[in-house]
PDB file of all heavy atoms in Angstrom:
ATOM      1  N   ASN V  28     151.922  45.367  12.985  1.00 98.00           N
ATOM      2  CA  ASN V  28     150.688  44.835  13.553  1.00 98.00           C
ATOM      3  C   ASN V  28     149.688  45.923  13.913  1.00 98.00           C
ATOM      4  O   ASN V  28     148.496  45.749  13.718  1.00 98.00           O
ATOM      5  CB  ASN V  28     151.065  43.978  14.806  1.00 98.00           C
ATOM      6  CG  ASN V  28     151.679  42.632  14.430  1.00 98.00           C
ATOM      7  OD1 ASN V  28     151.509  42.147  13.316  1.00 98.00           O
ATOM      8  ND2 ASN V  28     152.440  42.076  15.344  1.00 98.00           N
ATOM      9  N   LEU V  29     150.211  47.004  14.426  1.00 98.00           N
ATOM     10  CA  LEU V  29     149.309  48.129  14.731  1.00 98.00           C
ATOM     11  C   LEU V  29     148.673  48.712  13.463  1.00 98.00           C
ATOM     12  O   LEU V  29     147.462  49.006  13.459  1.00 98.00           O
ATOM     13  CB  LEU V  29     150.098  49.223  15.468  1.00 98.00           C
ATOM     14  CG  LEU V  29     150.476  48.935  16.907  1.00 98.00           C
ATOM     15  CD1 LEU V  29     151.486  49.981  17.431  1.00 98.00           C
ATOM     16  CD2 LEU V  29     149.232  48.880  17.827  1.00 98.00           C
ATOM     17  N   GLN V  30     149.422  48.816  12.411  1.00 97.00           N
ATOM     18  CA  GLN V  30     148.854  49.303  11.147  1.00 97.00           C
ATOM     19  C   GLN V  30     147.842  48.330  10.610  1.00 97.00           C
ATOM     20  O   GLN V  30     146.769  48.759  10.146  1.00 97.00           O
ATOM     21  CB  GLN V  30     149.976  49.449  10.106  1.00 97.00           C
ATOM     22  CG  GLN V  30     150.841  50.687  10.371  1.00 97.00           C
ATOM     23  CD  GLN V  30     151.913  50.887   9.310  1.00 97.00           C
ATOM     24  OE1 GLN V  30     152.398  49.890   8.688  1.00 97.00           O
ATOM     25  NE2 GLN V  30     152.266  52.108   9.012  1.00 97.00           N
ATOM     26  N   ASP V  31     148.148  47.020  10.744  1.00 97.00           N
ATOM     27  CA  ASP V  31     147.169  46.026  10.261  1.00 97.00           C
ATOM     28  C   ASP V  31     145.858  46.056  11.025  1.00 97.00           C
ATOM     29  O   ASP V  31     144.803  45.635  10.542  1.00 97.00           O
ATOM     30  CB  ASP V  31     147.794  44.634  10.293  1.00 97.00           C
ATOM     31  CG  ASP V  31     148.900  44.404   9.279  1.00 97.00           C
ATOM     32  OD1 ASP V  31     149.001  45.248   8.327  1.00 97.00           O
ATOM     33  OD2 ASP V  31     149.686  43.434   9.445  1.00 97.00           O
ATOM     34  N   ALA V  32     145.951  46.524  12.276  1.00 97.00           N
ATOM     35  CA  ALA V  32     144.741  46.621  13.118  1.00 97.00           C
ATOM     36  C   ALA V  32     143.958  47.936  12.886  1.00 97.00           C
ATOM     37  O   ALA V  32     142.957  48.191  13.504  1.00 97.00           O
ATOM     38  CB  ALA V  32     145.151  46.531  14.566  1.00 97.00           C
ATOM     39  N   GLY V  33     144.490  48.778  11.990  1.00 96.00           N
ATOM     40  CA  GLY V  33     143.723  49.970  11.614  1.00 96.00           C
ATOM     41  C   GLY V  33     144.283  51.318  12.119  1.00 96.00           C
ATOM     42  O   GLY V  33     143.721  52.347  11.860  1.00 96.00           O
ATOM     43  N   TYR V  34     145.393  51.244  12.895  1.00 97.00           N
ATOM     44  CA  TYR V  34     145.945  52.437  13.424  1.00 97.00           C
ATOM     45  C   TYR V  34     146.854  53.165  12.413  1.00 97.00           C
ATOM     46  O   TYR V  34     147.566  52.522  11.611  1.00 97.00           O
ATOM     47  CB  TYR V  34     146.779  52.154  14.675  1.00 97.00           C
ATOM     48  CG  TYR V  34     145.884  51.663  15.844  1.00 97.00           C
ATOM     49  CD1 TYR V  34     145.791  50.256  16.098  1.00 97.00           C
ATOM     50  CD2 TYR V  34     145.185  52.503  16.668  1.00 97.00           C
ATOM     51  CE1 TYR V  34     145.032  49.782  17.141  1.00 97.00           C
ATOM     52  CE2 TYR V  34     144.414  52.077  17.719  1.00 97.00           C
ATOM     53  CZ  TYR V  34     144.328  50.722  17.940  1.00 97.00           C
ATOM     54  OH  TYR V  34     143.518  50.236  18.960  1.00 97.00           O
ATOM     55  N   THR V  35     146.829  54.487  12.462  1.00 97.00           N
ATOM     56  CA  THR V  35     147.745  55.278  11.644  1.00 97.00           C
ATOM     57  C   THR V  35     148.990  55.626  12.451  1.00 97.00           C
ATOM     58  O   THR V  35     148.834  56.126  13.611  1.00 97.00           O
ATOM     59  CB  THR V  35     147.099  56.601  11.225  1.00 97.00           C
ATOM     60  OG1 THR V  35     145.972  56.267  10.356  1.00 97.00           O
ATOM     61  CG2 THR V  35     148.049  57.473  10.384  1.00 97.00           C
ATOM     62  N   LEU V  36     150.164  55.381  11.924  1.00 98.00           N
ATOM     63  CA  LEU V  36     151.401  55.552  12.692  1.00 98.00           C
ATOM     64  C   LEU V  36     152.259  56.672  12.112  1.00 98.00           C
ATOM     65  O   LEU V  36     152.315  56.908  10.914  1.00 98.00           O
ATOM     66  CB  LEU V  36     152.220  54.239  12.685  1.00 98.00           C
ATOM     67  CG  LEU V  36     151.969  53.265  13.841  1.00 98.00           C
ATOM     68  CD1 LEU V  36     150.537  52.851  13.903  1.00 98.00           C
ATOM     69  CD2 LEU V  36     152.865  52.077  13.734  1.00 98.00           C
ATOM     70  N   TYR V  37     152.923  57.351  13.069  1.00 98.00           N
ATOM     71  CA  TYR V  37     153.848  58.437  12.738  1.00 98.00           C
ATOM     72  C   TYR V  37     155.229  58.008  13.207  1.00 98.00           C
ATOM     73  O   TYR V  37     155.411  57.636  14.357  1.00 98.00           O
ATOM     74  CB  TYR V  37     153.401  59.738  13.348  1.00 98.00           C
ATOM     75  CG  TYR V  37     152.104  60.264  12.766  1.00 98.00           C
ATOM     76  CD1 TYR V  37     150.913  59.785  13.248  1.00 98.00           C
ATOM     77  CD2 TYR V  37     152.096  61.242  11.761  1.00 98.00           C
ATOM     78  CE1 TYR V  37     149.651  60.215  12.714  1.00 98.00           C
ATOM     79  CE2 TYR V  37     150.926  61.648  11.221  1.00 98.00           C
ATOM     80  CZ  TYR V  37     149.718  61.240  11.683  1.00 98.00           C
ATOM     81  OH  TYR V  37     148.533  61.634  11.123  1.00 98.00           O
ATOM     82  N   PHE V  38     156.227  58.115  12.282  1.00 98.00           N
ATOM     83  CA  PHE V  38     157.557  57.646  12.597  1.00 98.00           C
ATOM     84  C   PHE V  38     158.514  58.812  12.556  1.00 98.00           C
ATOM     85  O   PHE V  38     158.395  59.746  11.734  1.00 98.00           O
ATOM     86  CB  PHE V  38     158.030  56.605  11.563  1.00 98.00           C
ATOM     87  CG  PHE V  38     157.135  55.405  11.437  1.00 98.00           C
ATOM     88  CD1 PHE V  38     156.166  55.353  10.412  1.00 98.00           C
ATOM     89  CD2 PHE V  38     157.189  54.404  12.316  1.00 98.00           C
ATOM     90  CE1 PHE V  38     155.334  54.237  10.271  1.00 98.00           C
ATOM     91  CE2 PHE V  38     156.330  53.271  12.253  1.00 98.00           C
ATOM     92  CZ  PHE V  38     155.398  53.253  11.223  1.00 98.00           C
ATOM     93  N   SER V  39     159.529  58.796  13.414  1.00 97.00           N
ATOM     94  CA  SER V  39     160.573  59.827  13.412  1.00 97.00           C
ATOM     95  C   SER V  39     161.777  59.422  12.558  1.00 97.00           C
ATOM     96  O   SER V  39     162.220  58.248  12.607  1.00 97.00           O
ATOM     97  CB  SER V  39     161.073  60.111  14.842  1.00 97.00           C
ATOM     98  OG  SER V  39     162.185  61.003  14.845  1.00 97.00           O
ATOM     99  N   GLU V  40     162.244  60.316  11.747  1.00 95.00           N
ATOM    100  CA  GLU V  40     163.433  60.050  10.918  1.00 95.00           C
ATOM    101  C   GLU V  40     164.662  60.849  11.420  1.00 95.00           C
ATOM    102  O   GLU V  40     165.564  61.144  10.603  1.00 95.00           O
ATOM    103  CB  GLU V  40     163.120  60.416   9.474  1.00 95.00           C
ATOM    104  CG  GLU V  40     161.980  59.546   8.894  1.00 95.00           C
ATOM    105  CD  GLU V  40     162.003  59.530   7.363  1.00 95.00           C
ATOM    106  OE1 GLU V  40     161.924  60.659   6.784  1.00 95.00           O
ATOM    107  OE2 GLU V  40     161.999  58.454   6.782  1.00 95.00           O
ATOM    108  N   HIS V  41     164.677  61.157  12.708  1.00 94.00           N
ATOM    109  CA  HIS V  41     165.797  61.893  13.266  1.00 94.00           C
ATOM    110  C   HIS V  41     167.047  61.056  13.294  1.00 94.00           C
ATOM    111  O   HIS V  41     168.158  61.611  13.305  1.00 94.00           O
ATOM    112  CB  HIS V  41     165.505  62.389  14.679  1.00 94.00           C
ATOM    113  CG  HIS V  41     165.483  61.276  15.689  1.00 94.00           C
ATOM    114  ND1 HIS V  41     164.465  60.335  15.772  1.00 94.00           N
ATOM    115  CD2 HIS V  41     166.303  61.006  16.722  1.00 94.00           C
ATOM    116  CE1 HIS V  41     164.710  59.512  16.742  1.00 94.00           C
ATOM    117  NE2 HIS V  41     165.799  59.848  17.364  1.00 94.00           N
ATOM    118  N   PHE V  42     166.902  59.726  13.345  1.00 92.00           N
ATOM    119  CA  PHE V  42     168.067  58.826  13.476  1.00 92.00           C
ATOM    120  C   PHE V  42     168.339  58.120  12.183  1.00 92.00           C
ATOM    121  O   PHE V  42     169.468  58.006  11.741  1.00 92.00           O
ATOM    122  CB  PHE V  42     167.837  57.854  14.648  1.00 92.00           C
ATOM    123  CG  PHE V  42     168.989  56.933  14.878  1.00 92.00           C
ATOM    124  CD1 PHE V  42     170.185  57.370  15.394  1.00 92.00           C
ATOM    125  CD2 PHE V  42     168.904  55.565  14.574  1.00 92.00           C
ATOM    126  CE1 PHE V  42     171.266  56.511  15.612  1.00 92.00           C
ATOM    127  CE2 PHE V  42     169.922  54.638  14.801  1.00 92.00           C
ATOM    128  CZ  PHE V  42     171.101  55.173  15.361  1.00 92.00           C
ATOM    129  N   GLU V  43     167.305  57.541  11.586  1.00 92.00           N
ATOM    130  CA  GLU V  43     167.427  56.865  10.289  1.00 92.00           C
ATOM    131  C   GLU V  43     166.088  56.885   9.606  1.00 92.00           C
ATOM    132  O   GLU V  43     165.050  57.118  10.265  1.00 92.00           O
ATOM    133  CB  GLU V  43     167.868  55.421  10.484  1.00 92.00           C
ATOM    134  CG  GLU V  43     166.962  54.548  11.294  1.00 92.00           C
ATOM    135  CD  GLU V  43     167.519  53.169  11.534  1.00 92.00           C
ATOM    136  OE1 GLU V  43     168.702  52.955  11.248  1.00 92.00           O
ATOM    137  OE2 GLU V  43     166.775  52.300  11.984  1.00 92.00           O
ATOM    138  N   PRO V  44     166.019  56.661   8.292  1.00 93.00           N
ATOM    139  CA  PRO V  44     164.763  56.728   7.606  1.00 93.00           C
ATOM    140  C   PRO V  44     163.784  55.661   8.089  1.00 93.00           C
ATOM    141  O   PRO V  44     164.174  54.564   8.512  1.00 93.00           O
ATOM    142  CB  PRO V  44     165.127  56.416   6.138  1.00 93.00           C
ATOM    143  CG  PRO V  44     166.617  56.834   6.034  1.00 93.00           C
ATOM    144  CD  PRO V  44     167.151  56.503   7.354  1.00 93.00           C
ATOM    145  N   ALA V  45     162.507  56.008   8.083  1.00 94.00           N
ATOM    146  CA  ALA V  45     161.471  55.057   8.447  1.00 94.00           C
ATOM    147  C   ALA V  45     161.440  53.947   7.393  1.00 94.00           C
ATOM    148  O   ALA V  45     161.678  54.160   6.173  1.00 94.00           O
ATOM    149  CB  ALA V  45     160.124  55.742   8.551  1.00 94.00           C
ATOM    150  N   PRO V  46     161.134  52.687   7.837  1.00 95.00           N
ATOM    151  CA  PRO V  46     160.996  51.600   6.823  1.00 95.00           C
ATOM    152  C   PRO V  46     160.010  51.931   5.785  1.00 95.00           C
ATOM    153  O   PRO V  46     158.886  52.304   6.033  1.00 95.00           O
ATOM    154  CB  PRO V  46     160.565  50.392   7.659  1.00 95.00           C
ATOM    155  CG  PRO V  46     161.049  50.741   9.060  1.00 95.00           C
ATOM    156  CD  PRO V  46     160.878  52.234   9.171  1.00 95.00           C
ATOM    157  N   ALA V  47     160.441  51.801   4.514  1.00 96.00           N
ATOM    158  CA  ALA V  47     159.578  52.229   3.374  1.00 96.00           C
ATOM    159  C   ALA V  47     158.260  51.427   3.363  1.00 96.00           C
ATOM    160  O   ALA V  47     157.225  52.025   2.999  1.00 96.00           O
ATOM    161  CB  ALA V  47     160.345  51.964   2.047  1.00 96.00           C
ATOM    162  N   GLU V  48     158.336  50.166   3.769  1.00 96.00           N
ATOM    163  CA  GLU V  48     157.063  49.373   3.730  1.00 96.00           C
ATOM    164  C   GLU V  48     156.071  49.759   4.779  1.00 96.00           C
ATOM    165  O   GLU V  48     154.887  49.299   4.713  1.00 96.00           O
ATOM    166  CB  GLU V  48     157.432  47.889   3.854  1.00 96.00           C
ATOM    167  CG  GLU V  48     158.117  47.505   5.122  1.00 96.00           C
ATOM    168  CD  GLU V  48     159.627  47.485   5.046  1.00 96.00           C
ATOM    169  OE1 GLU V  48     160.190  48.390   4.359  1.00 96.00           O
ATOM    170  OE2 GLU V  48     160.256  46.584   5.617  1.00 96.00           O
ATOM    171  N   LEU V  49     156.437  50.604   5.754  1.00 97.00           N
ATOM    172  CA  LEU V  49     155.508  51.040   6.728  1.00 97.00           C
ATOM    173  C   LEU V  49     154.920  52.444   6.424  1.00 97.00           C
ATOM    174  O   LEU V  49     154.054  52.933   7.121  1.00 97.00           O
ATOM    175  CB  LEU V  49     156.201  51.141   8.084  1.00 97.00           C
ATOM    176  CG  LEU V  49     156.673  49.828   8.680  1.00 97.00           C
ATOM    177  CD1 LEU V  49     157.333  50.053  10.045  1.00 97.00           C
ATOM    178  CD2 LEU V  49     155.556  48.806   8.771  1.00 97.00           C
ATOM    179  N   LEU V  50     155.413  53.060   5.300  1.00 97.00           N
ATOM    180  CA  LEU V  50     154.918  54.384   4.935  1.00 97.00           C
ATOM    181  C   LEU V  50     153.830  54.229   3.856  1.00 97.00           C
ATOM    182  O   LEU V  50     153.833  53.330   3.097  1.00 97.00           O
ATOM    183  CB  LEU V  50     156.073  55.229   4.377  1.00 97.00           C
ATOM    184  CG  LEU V  50     157.197  55.491   5.351  1.00 97.00           C
ATOM    185  CD1 LEU V  50     158.287  56.314   4.676  1.00 97.00           C
ATOM    186  CD2 LEU V  50     156.696  56.225   6.630  1.00 97.00           C
ATOM    187  N   GLY V  51     152.917  55.204   3.883  1.00 95.00           N
ATOM    188  CA  GLY V  51     151.790  55.156   2.924  1.00 95.00           C
ATOM    189  C   GLY V  51     150.524  55.633   3.586  1.00 95.00           C
ATOM    190  O   GLY V  51     150.520  56.553   4.390  1.00 95.00           O
ATOM    191  N   GLU V  52     149.433  54.953   3.281  1.00 93.00           N
ATOM    192  CA  GLU V  52     148.112  55.380   3.787  1.00 93.00           C
ATOM    193  C   GLU V  52     148.049  55.360   5.281  1.00 93.00           C
ATOM    194  O   GLU V  52     147.384  56.163   5.939  1.00 93.00           O
ATOM    195  CB  GLU V  52     147.026  54.441   3.187  1.00 93.00           C
ATOM    196  CG  GLU V  52     145.600  54.912   3.558  1.00 93.00           C
ATOM    197  CD  GLU V  52     144.546  53.943   3.011  1.00 93.00           C
ATOM    198  OE1 GLU V  52     144.908  53.093   2.191  1.00 93.00           O
ATOM    199  OE2 GLU V  52     143.405  54.063   3.390  1.00 93.00           O
ATOM    200  N   LYS V  53     148.718  54.408   5.918  1.00 95.00           N
ATOM    201  CA  LYS V  53     148.709  54.247   7.376  1.00 95.00           C
ATOM    202  C   LYS V  53     150.051  54.539   8.069  1.00 95.00           C
ATOM    203  O   LYS V  53     150.203  54.224   9.258  1.00 95.00           O
ATOM    204  CB  LYS V  53     148.278  52.834   7.753  1.00 95.00           C
ATOM    205  CG  LYS V  53     146.834  52.487   7.446  1.00 95.00           C
ATOM    206  CD  LYS V  53     145.866  53.253   8.356  1.00 95.00           C
ATOM    207  CE  LYS V  53     144.443  52.842   8.095  1.00 95.00           C
ATOM    208  NZ  LYS V  53     143.520  53.608   8.964  1.00 95.00           N
TER     209      LYS V  53
END
Side-chain angles (χ1 to χ4, degrees):
N28 287 337
L29 287 169
Q30 287 182 328
D31 290 344
Y34 293 98
T35 298
L36 268 59
Y37 293 83
F38 305 98
S39 174
E40 297 197 307
H41 72 291
F42 182 69
E43 61 184 11
E48 59 268 39
L49 297 180
L50 299 178
E52 184 180 352
K53 291 290 183 181

